Amino acid sequence: MSKRVKVGSTRVAVAYIRVSKDEQKLGPEAQRAAVEEWAAREGVQVAAWHLDQGVCSVTPVEGRPALVAALAALREYGAGLLVVAKRDRIARDVVIAATVERAAGSSGARVVSAAGEGNGDAPADAFMRGVIDCAAQYERGIIRARTKAALAAKKARGECVGQVPYGYVREGDRLVAVPSEQATIDRARLLAAGGRSQRAIAAQLAVEGHVSRTGRMFAAAQIARMLISVEVARASNSAAAHCA
């Protein structure tokens, strides 16, 4: 006999926020505002907030510390709802979205969207959630295809392509070091050499006044990219000779 799952209160929610890039229209503040407005309208108490910064829409659940914490918090607070601002904040992948749904269900909760996308229990609502997840995955595929085509066109014109890593600016076909950002990178490398985790490095940098280009605390993913930025720049400059 399977163990019966204790259903959480539908008047208590745990909020999950995901931002994939530093600059995004639906940033953490906008997502939080949407969830707070929804909670006030529905008479729901948001017991905890969890933010994954710099996390891609197709990152598996185990690769999202905040999402893992949010799912655990459902049982901790007896919450019956895992709320997101929009359905695609869960994922732009149908398998990952379904995994999160099942994980929430095993804790006696369900996933809801502040935007109201398929929040009900009727078969039509379940169908709508599936359609939304498929549409989000399709949209991501279209964006990737367009980006790939645009990069191929630039490469065909002899232009260098690729993201400019933190610590550098692009001047023509070469990456040139930015002294202030290089100082931040050096400090991050020193902290990493001391055995600190990426999150601990980000926290220490914030204490010392080192922030991202947007003026915010670095995310763990940004620290990871920062620690290899020198190698990226060297590779890019090496390839620049072939881009003329």
Side-chain angles (χ1 to χ4, degrees):
M1 181 183 294
S2 61
K3 186 177 180 180
R4 189 170 183 177
V5 177
K6 182 179 179 180
V7 178
S9 171
T10 56
R11 291 299 178 185
V12 180
V14 170
Y16 174 64
I17 295 173
R18 180 185 64 80
V19 183
S20 59
K21 296 178 291 186
D22 284 343
E23 296 181 7
Q24 184 169 303
K25 184 176 181 180
L26 194 61
E29 295 83 5
Q31 291 182 50
R32 183 173 183 122
V35 171
E36 288 176 338
E37 183 179 347
W38 165 85
R41 184 174 65 249
E42 299 295 328
V44 173
Q45 174 193 358
V46 179
W49 297 83
H50 295 274
L51 165 65
D52 270 324
Q53 182 90 39
V55 172
C56 178
S57 63
V58 294
T59 300
V61 175
E62 59 271 20
R64 306 187 195 188
L67 179 55
V68 172
L71 290 169
L74 292 172
R75 289 184 183 274
E76 179 183 352
Y77 293 99
L81 303 172
L82 176 66
V83 60
V84 290
K86 289 185 64 179
R87 181 81 186 176
D88 64 10
R89 295 303 85 201
I90 302 171
R92 290 182 180 272
D93 179 282
V94 294
V95 174
I96 296 174
T99 299
V100 175
E101 289 271 13
R102 287 194 295 270
S106 68
S107 295
R110 59 190 178 90
V111 178
V112 295
S113 162
E117 305 155 304
N119 283 348
D121 297 321
D125 296 310
F127 173 74
M128 180 59 68
R129 290 193 291 272
V131 169
I132 292 169
D133 292 342
C134 286
Q137 181 170 307
Y138 172 74
E139 182 182 19
R140 182 176 185 275
I142 290 295
I143 292 172
R144 285 174 59 85
R146 288 174 178 169
T147 301
K148 185 176 180 180
L151 291 176
K154 290 185 68 176
K155 188 174 182 179
R157 293 195 298 268
E159 300 177 25
C160 285
V161 298
Q163 184 178 9
V164 178
Y166 180 84
Y168 297 86
V169 292
R170 187 180 295 281
E171 292 186 3
D173 289 334
R174 297 190 62 81
L175 296 179
V176 179
V178 177
S180 61
E181 294 183 359
Q182 287 296 321
T184 299
I185 292 173
D186 290 341
R187 180 57 177 153
R189 287 175 178 273
L190 183 61
L191 292 170
R196 299 205 189 190
S197 68
Q198 292 169 5
R199 288 185 177 276
I201 292 172
Q204 183 61 35
L205 289 178
V207 169
E208 297 177 6
H210 298 279
V211 293
S212 70
R213 289 171 177 169
T214 61
R216 300 173 182 171
M217 174 178 166
F218 289 106
Q222 291 174 293
I223 296 298
R225 291 194 296 270
M226 184 188 300
L227 294 177
I228 63 171
S229 62
V230 171
E231 286 74 12
V232 172
R234 286 173 179 170
S236 177
N237 285 338
S238 176
H242 304 287
C243 293

